[in-house]
Amino acid sequence: MSIADVAQSYADLVTTVFSSTIAAKAWFATAAVVLGVVQVTTAARIYGKLSFLPERGPAIARTHRWSGRLAFLFTLPVFFHCVTILGFQTPDARVAVHAVVGTFFYGVFVAKVLVVRDHSLPGWALPTAGLTLASMLGILWLTSGLWYFTTVRFGF
């Protein structure tokens, strides 16, 4: 099966719900960003930086873990679309920033997962890795999802 066949099958599947593959990409990225905000908020509560959420404990930890898992899942169709259909492009500054940050995003994701598992690292390592990942996700959304919703159309 050639890449063209995969791209067409993907487009056929996605357009059963969305008006276009780019619309699907924008909405999946938006869901990932919303879950990323949940990640940052619950992490801040876990570290004692916020007090308006329930006490630190299993509920906050569970919410943090599952919002991260779901955010990761929502990025997979976006990743597939960007890498296999669009590829690395730099026609203007917005797309160039998006392509460069997107290239490093999953590397930072892997680094963050490794930092989570390594308890010998200094206490600042995990929040730094998490905020770097969240910042990259925000930049990716600003240069794609927000651009789509404000320039192309707001809708499915």
Side-chain angles (χ1 to χ4, degrees):
M1 180 179 283
S2 70
I3 293 290
D5 292 339
V6 172
Q8 187 57 52
S9 297
Y10 167 76
D12 291 344
L13 177 67
V14 167
T15 55
T16 60
V17 176
F18 299 97
S19 60
S20 68
T21 56
I22 299 294
K25 178 183 163 190
W27 283 104
F28 280 123
T30 300
V33 166
V34 168
L35 290 164
V37 170
V38 172
Q39 279 273 286
V40 170
T41 304
T42 55
R45 181 61 185 120
I46 289 168
Y47 277 89
K49 302 295 181 189
L50 293 178
S51 58
F52 68 85
L53 293 174
E55 286 297 316
R56 289 183 268 181
I60 291 292
R62 192 174 313 115
T63 302
H64 182 77
R65 280 191 305 274
W66 277 101
S67 63
R69 291 171 182 155
L70 290 172
F72 175 75
L73 287 175
F74 276 112
T75 66
L76 292 177
V78 177
F79 170 78
F80 173 80
H81 183 262
C82 290
V83 171
T84 63
I85 296 171
L86 298 176
F88 190 90
Q89 300 177 21
T90 57
D92 58 39
R94 177 191 66 82
V95 176
V97 167
H98 185 80
V100 170
V101 174
T103 300
F104 290 100
F105 179 77
Y106 282 99
V108 172
F109 173 79
V110 169
K112 192 242 181 203
V113 169
L114 293 173
V115 168
V116 166
R117 305 287 181 214
D118 189 348
H119 300 289
S120 68
L121 294 170
W124 56 264
L126 182 56
T128 301
L131 286 173
T132 301
L133 186 62
S135 298
M136 291 178 82
L137 183 59
I139 291 167
L140 290 169
W141 183 80
L142 288 171
T143 57
S144 64
L146 180 64
W147 172 85
Y148 176 81
F149 294 135
T150 58
T151 306
V152 179
R153 70 184 287 251
F154 185 81
F156 282 95

